[in-house]
Amino acid sequence: MPRLAPELIEQIAAANDIVEVVGGYFPLKRAGSAWRANCPFHQEKTPSFQVNPQRQIFKCFGCGAGGSVFRFVMDYEHIDFITAAKKLADRAGIRIVEQEMSAEDVARVTLRRRLLALHAEAADFFHLNLMKKPAAAKARDYLKGRGITGEVAKSWKLGYAPFGGNPMLSFAHEQGFSLEEIAKSGLCSISGDSEEERANPNWGQLYDRFKDRLMFPICNDTGEVIAFSGRVLDAEAKAAKYVNSPETPLFTKGAILFGLHRSKRALIDKKTAIVCEGQLDLITAFEAGVQNVIAPQGTAFTEKQARILKRYVEEVVLCYDADAAGENAAEKSAKQLLSENVAVRVATMPAGEDPDSMIRGRGAEAFVAQIADAKDFFDFQIDRLAARPDFSTPRGKTQTARKLAESVSIISDAVLREAIINRITMRLEISAQQFARLLKKPDEKSGDDGARETKPARVLDSTISLLLKVALTDQAARQWLHEQDWEPVLKDADESGLVKKAFAAEVNVDDPASLASFLSTLESNDEADLIELLEGRKPEFAMIIAHDCWNELERRQMDRRIEALQARLRVPGQSDESILGLQKEFLDLVKRRSDIARPFSPPL
């Protein structure tokens, strides 16, 4: 992994107060000098997640997660260190220079920066067309008919892609972007058929992807434009109603939620997300004051989108069209959300209406009331299945129970699962035991999403724990330990890598920025282990403890060697000379071992 200069890491850490950063994702409550919350990395009822503003670290005493502000953003956002550092640097207005990256990393970061610049220019280009150009009159009329004012269009930077020729391609070329950058942006398509042609396009093969469409910029969660969605304006056109940017180095369709960069604060405050089907539905609701809204880039949620939304809310209200397609989308989305243990309700819109038309026609209060009346997903599903002619028959109820059990089996949270089972069995008038037999065991969380099981942190050897603590908290002890011949002493220890880093570290644990810089060099388990050690008070007599712990580790090394010699002496058929040599080494080790004092072990 590419590294940043320690001085830059310290600068970023110093500029980002961990209480403010964590509090931007979910609410924290003061508990004495610390702050607490339910841990975001595992399910729990009693808060065990603690943020220490003095050391600028976090620690969960339930699952063992812990570390600096960088580690929190990495684990919470499921991103690597460089990406987390960049997010924090952007937050603090600090410019990162990737001076220590490999050539490949520099090329990747440079391309990303150029594509972001191209998308920002494209958003301005489309927006200027919408607001000023005569050819965009029908787009302006369309927005006016949907109640979108010029101020709202400006706020969301709506745009218009002209018809005829390739104006976007020409504009990008005039702004100094290369053929490769334009091709990789997705703003233009490639006409070549063969793989070779598509891998090495020329200017003649490129043409504008978006033509004669109302343009919606799609932003990441920090507000950078990374893609576009274009809506057709001619109701009689045979073209697709919406055309979206393809997958690019910036944009993965199933990993982005439209509007999240504007609505995430409202999501956190309300703990509920209202999911709209289209961009205009979301914009109308947001501008009417209903701001805890988002929209997927498609009809149904993906696993990644559900996981992202879980970071902000506890409940989701699905607000899809009242037709078969909308109901199917609600069912698919609900399964993804339930797998993340998010409560789901479904708001059924009146026939022929969507959030946009309801708010424009009857006001935001009517829409809010519709959301408040949203049904629990399982009630919605039962009502849907109850419309079948055979629902009231034993066979019909059995099929309904099996269908519902498929959804319930996804839920891993025991409390939520039991509450839903009780609701379903009451509606179906069957016993909970009968229904339970239909359930599958809930899937365990996979490791790729950063979820943790509720278990204590790795238990370090007590002597090594004490040695680590004095090495980190006392510079003189750390210097003495660093000068010892510790390679043979630690070669069999599981924690050897962590100990070596601690001995060689240039860190001041009383300086949060220095500590964050050092912690950024560690793996997550090692970082959590050190956070556990640093939570306690500093040990007294650090140099005495360092000597005593070192003696204990040397004594263990000798014990291992003595056991190996005893085993070799028991091997039959050895020469007298060989046996004498082994016995001499054995006696020397026993004497040396007896000369080493027992370690002094004060409490941590």
Side-chain angles (χ1 to χ4, degrees):
M1 181 187 297
R3 297 296 306 161
L4 301 177
E7 298 80 9
L8 179 58
I9 295 173
E10 290 188 19
Q11 182 186 5
I12 296 169
N16 285 276
D17 181 81
I18 193 170
V19 175
E20 294 180 3
V21 172
V22 175
Y25 290 98
F26 51 82
L28 293 170
K29 291 183 179 180
R30 184 179 286 280
S33 62
W35 296 78
R36 286 185 179 174
N38 285 339
C39 181
F41 303 121
H42 79 283
Q43 297 291 328
E44 64 178 5
K45 297 179 183 178
T46 304
S48 59
F49 179 89
Q50 183 167 297
V51 179
N52 182 327
Q54 285 74 41
R55 288 201 183 276
Q56 289 289 298
I57 57 177
F58 75 94
K59 177 68 181 176
C60 176
F61 296 95
C63 69
S68 68
V69 67
F70 297 104
R71 177 61 58 187
F72 175 81
V73 175
M74 289 168 67
D75 286 358
Y76 198 86
E77 298 273 12
H78 311 293
I79 54 181
D80 61 25
F81 174 78
I82 290 293
T83 308
K86 184 180 185 302
K87 287 178 76 77
L88 291 169
D90 289 343
R91 180 181 182 275
I94 297 170
R95 182 170 176 266
I96 289 183
V97 180
E98 292 84 6
Q99 56 189 5
E100 298 183 22
M101 289 186 174
S102 66
E104 293 79 9
D105 288 322
V106 169
R108 176 180 57 80
V109 171
T110 301
L111 175 62
R112 176 179 173 81
R113 187 183 295 118
R114 291 286 291 168
L115 292 183
L116 285 172
L118 175 52
H119 277 78
E121 295 280 4
D124 288 338
F125 172 77
F126 291 137
H127 183 64
L128 180 64
N129 277 314
L130 175 68
M131 303 303 285
K132 302 291 185 182
K133 301 297 182 181
K138 59 181 175 180
R140 292 191 292 270
D141 291 342
Y142 173 82
L143 289 174
K144 185 177 180 180
R146 298 293 295 264
I148 302 297
T149 67
E151 284 301 311
V152 172
K154 183 178 180 181
S155 174
W156 291 85
K157 213 160 200 177
L158 304 184
Y160 173 71
F163 181 78
N166 294 301
M168 183 69 248
L169 174 61
S170 300
F171 172 78
H173 181 43
E174 290 168 3
Q175 299 304 308
F177 293 97
S178 69
L179 181 149
E180 179 187 20
E181 290 165 346
I182 297 171
K184 289 186 176 180
S185 73
L187 290 166
C188 294
S189 298
I190 303 173
S191 61
D193 294 326
S194 70
E195 289 187 14
E196 183 177 357
E197 286 177 311
R198 298 185 69 81
N200 301 284
N202 56 53
W203 290 105
Q205 288 176 272
L206 288 174
Y207 62 93
D208 284 8
R209 176 178 295 275
F210 302 101
K211 292 176 180 287
D212 194 28
R213 288 180 180 269
L214 179 64
M215 299 298 289
F216 297 88
I218 299 171
C219 298
N220 59 21
D221 62 351
T222 60
E224 297 169 316
V225 180
I226 57 173
F228 290 91
S229 180
R231 189 192 193 283
V232 71
L233 290 166
D234 185 356
E236 304 299 323
K238 295 181 180 180
K241 185 176 180 180
Y242 282 94
V243 169
N244 295 322
S245 293
E247 303 266 317
T248 71
L250 296 180
F251 178 61
T252 302
K253 180 180 177 182
I256 295 295
L257 293 168
F258 181 80
L260 181 62
H261 67 295
R262 300 285 297 273
S263 64
K264 59 184 176 182
R265 172 47 59 187
L267 296 176
I268 293 169
D269 291 343
K270 299 287 187 182
K271 299 182 180 179
T272 298
I274 301 169
V275 178
C276 299
E277 197 165 347
Q279 289 101 335
L280 281 175
D281 291 331
L282 181 146
I283 292 171
T284 299
F286 189 94
E287 295 297 331
V290 185
Q291 298 190 340
N292 56 322
V293 285
I294 55 92
Q297 299 299 322
T299 55
F301 265 72
T302 66
E303 179 182 358
K304 178 67 174 176
Q305 289 170 327
R307 197 177 299 154
I308 292 170
L309 201 53
K310 171 65 186 298
R311 300 171 188 167
Y312 301 95
V313 301
E314 299 172 359
E315 178 191 60
V316 167
V317 179
L318 300 173
C319 191
Y320 290 146
D321 292 343
D323 54 20
E327 290 177 350
N328 289 332
E331 184 172 340
K332 291 178 181 177
S333 295
K335 288 183 177 180
Q336 297 291 358
L337 292 161
L338 290 169
S339 70
E340 295 297 321
N341 297 315
V342 175
V344 180
R345 292 190 291 137
V346 180
T348 304
M349 300 301 297
E353 284 205 293
D354 55 26
D356 172 57
S357 63
M358 175 177 280
I359 292 170
R360 286 189 290 113
R362 295 157 56 188
E365 297 80 6
F367 179 62
V368 171
Q370 194 78 18
I371 296 301
D373 290 339
K375 294 180 180 179
D376 175 85
F377 168 72
F378 291 95
D379 285 331
F380 164 81
Q381 202 172 27
I382 291 172
D383 291 344
R384 187 184 180 199
L385 295 170
R388 296 179 177 179
D390 64 344
F391 173 75
S392 59
T393 67
R395 180 173 177 273
K397 282 197 174 183
T398 299
Q399 289 180 333
T400 299
R402 291 186 185 279
K403 179 72 173 175
L404 295 170
E406 291 178 12
S407 299
V408 176
S409 295
I410 296 170
I411 303 168
S412 60
D413 183 271
V415 176
L416 179 61
R417 189 177 166 99
E418 184 176 356
I420 290 172
I421 289 173
N422 289 337
R423 177 187 291 270
I424 290 173
T425 52
M426 287 179 64
R427 285 287 310 271
L428 295 182
E429 298 178 339
I430 62 176
S431 72
Q433 291 79 11
Q434 287 177 311
F435 187 77
R437 284 196 287 268
L438 301 174
L439 299 176
K440 299 176 182 178
K441 185 177 180 181
D443 293 336
E444 296 294 330
K445 291 287 183 185
S446 61
D448 63 352
D449 66 353
R452 289 180 171 84
E453 297 177 2
T454 306
K455 60 183 180 182
R458 177 181 61 177
V459 178
L460 293 176
D461 176 89
S462 58
T463 299
I464 289 181
S465 294
L466 196 51
L467 198 65
L468 281 168
K469 191 157 191 172
V470 296
L472 289 172
T473 57
D474 188 275
Q475 186 175 359
R478 180 165 67 247
Q479 181 63 34
W480 180 82
L481 288 165
H482 183 52
E483 293 169 355
Q484 305 310 302
D485 184 17
W486 35 262
E487 286 283 0
V489 175
L490 293 172
K491 68 176 183 179
D492 295 323
D494 294 336
E495 307 90 346
S496 60
L498 177 58
V499 174
K500 292 173 187 177
K501 286 185 177 181
F503 288 177
E506 295 182 3
V507 57
N508 177 5
V509 296
D510 293 323
D511 177 359
S514 176
L515 177 60
S517 179
F518 170 62
L519 292 175
S520 73
T521 67
L522 306 179
E523 297 296 328
S524 59
N525 284 342
D526 289 342
E527 186 172 356
D529 286 337
L530 290 192
I531 293 298
E532 181 85 17
L533 293 177
L534 294 174
E535 279 294 302
R537 61 184 176 85
K538 291 184 180 180
E540 299 179 4
F541 313 111
M543 191 60 77
I544 295 174
I545 297 172
H547 279 271
D548 284 347
C549 287
W550 191 257
N551 287 342
E552 168 66 4
L553 293 179
E554 285 192 315
R555 195 162 58 84
R556 292 181 188 179
Q557 179 196 19
M558 292 177 188
D559 286 341
R560 291 191 293 269
R561 181 57 183 163
I562 287 170
E563 288 178 6
L565 288 171
Q566 287 174 326
R568 289 182 63 185
L569 284 168
R570 290 193 292 268
V571 176
Q574 298 185 74
S575 66
D576 291 342
E577 183 180 359
S578 177
I579 292 174
L580 285 172
L582 292 173
Q583 287 176 336
K584 183 180 184 302
E585 184 179 356
F586 175 82
L587 293 173
D588 286 344
L589 278 172
V590 170
K591 184 179 184 307
R592 285 173 54 197
R593 183 186 182 283
S594 66
D595 291 338
I596 298 176
R598 302 289 296 183
F600 165 62
S601 300
L604 291 177

